[in-house]
Amino acid sequence: MILVDSSVWINYFNGIESDATNQLDIILGHEDVIMGDLIMAEVLQGFRDDKDFRKAKQLLTSFTVHNLLNEHIAIKSAENFRTLRKKGLTIRKTIDSIIATYCIENQTILLESDKDFEPFSKHLGLKLALTKM
């Protein structure tokens, strides 16, 4: 299973070509892509045009939607955040900590283009779809 972060979806919908959006093109229809509820909210709230919103909503809801946050993930996310902070690494967005922790706990690969996920990969075992050079 692969969870695609909002950073990739936003670039994808905006037609921005990158390693991550190219990888998304490759995996769509060939891999088991799942949608996170929080990711869906982040992506959909950015659409200004109703027609584009409806098209994106139709695509995103065609994937199996997973609830990314529950009591276990909330606590584990806070623990992971604190572990990284003790190493001198501060994660800028709580939602990134939740997404990373969900993936770690559920052995799910993350396709992303956000540097805040790198510490989770390096120190906590997050599996990323693209490896950084």
Side-chain angles (χ1 to χ4, degrees):
M1 288 191 303
I2 298 175
L3 180 68
V4 180
D5 182 50
S6 57
S7 59
V8 178
W9 283 116
I10 290 166
N11 287 342
Y12 185 80
F13 285 123
N14 286 320
I16 298 171
E17 190 173 326
S18 68
D19 289 343
T21 57
N22 290 337
Q23 185 67 28
L24 180 57
D25 266 335
I26 292 168
I27 65 173
L28 285 174
H30 296 95
E31 298 283 339
D32 187 13
V33 175
I34 60 173
M35 175 55 54
D37 56 351
L38 300 174
I39 293 168
M40 185 183 307
E42 274 191 316
V43 173
L44 291 177
Q45 72 187 7
F47 285 94
R48 289 191 171 101
D49 182 75
D50 290 341
K51 183 180 175 185
D52 291 339
F53 172 84
R54 285 190 299 274
K55 283 182 183 177
K57 178 181 156 190
Q58 183 177 10
L59 173 63
L60 298 180
T61 57
S62 71
F63 301 107
T64 303
V65 179
H66 287 233
N67 296 326
L68 300 182
L69 188 60
N70 58 35
E71 181 180 358
H72 169 74
I73 297 296
I75 293 167
K76 191 66 181 171
S77 177
E79 291 171 349
N80 287 343
F81 179 92
R82 294 179 75 247
T83 296
L84 293 173
R85 188 174 57 196
K86 287 176 186 175
K87 294 180 179 294
L89 304 165
T90 301
I91 305 306
R92 297 175 297 152
K93 295 179 273 182
T94 299
I95 195 166
D96 288 346
S97 184
I98 292 166
I99 291 166
T101 301
Y102 174 89
C103 289
I104 293 166
E105 294 296 301
N106 291 281
Q107 299 176 354
T108 301
I109 297 168
L110 180 64
L111 177 60
E112 49 71 43
S113 60
D114 184 333
K115 67 181 180 177
D116 276 338
F117 292 111
E118 292 173 16
F120 289 94
S121 176
K122 183 176 180 182
H123 299 285
L124 300 173
L126 173 65
K127 294 180 178 123
L128 300 177
L130 298 173
T131 55
K132 308 291 191 262
M133 296 194 148

